[in-house]
Amino acid sequence: CEAGRVVLEVRDDGTGFDVAAATGRGLGIASMEDRAHALGGDVLVRSVPGEGTLVRMEVPV
């Protein structure tokens, strides 16, 4: 928990990808975003080629 919010982060140190070049939203990310928004929260996907990926979901308590 951080300042009245529940935070879930998943990170890896894999190959990563260019988020700007990714086409469309995958079903998994779209589903996470829909659920987070329904609870007043948000999802962040950050990735850098060669450096891995971070998926962070925050929702208010």
Side-chain angles (χ1 to χ4, degrees), residues 8-61:
L8 172 68
E9 283 190 359
V10 178
R11 295 174 184 256
D12 71 31
D13 59 355
T15 59
F17 61 96
D18 182 353
V19 176
T23 58
R25 291 183 336 167
L27 183 58
I29 295 295
S31 178
M32 286 188 286
E33 288 176 336
D34 290 346
R35 291 168 192 253
H37 293 161
L39 296 170
D42 203 9
V43 173
L44 166 74
V45 178
R46 185 178 304 152
S47 189
V48 176
E51 295 184 20
T53 302
L54 163 71
V55 178
R56 178 182 173 105
M57 180 178 182
E58 296 184 24
V59 295
V61 174

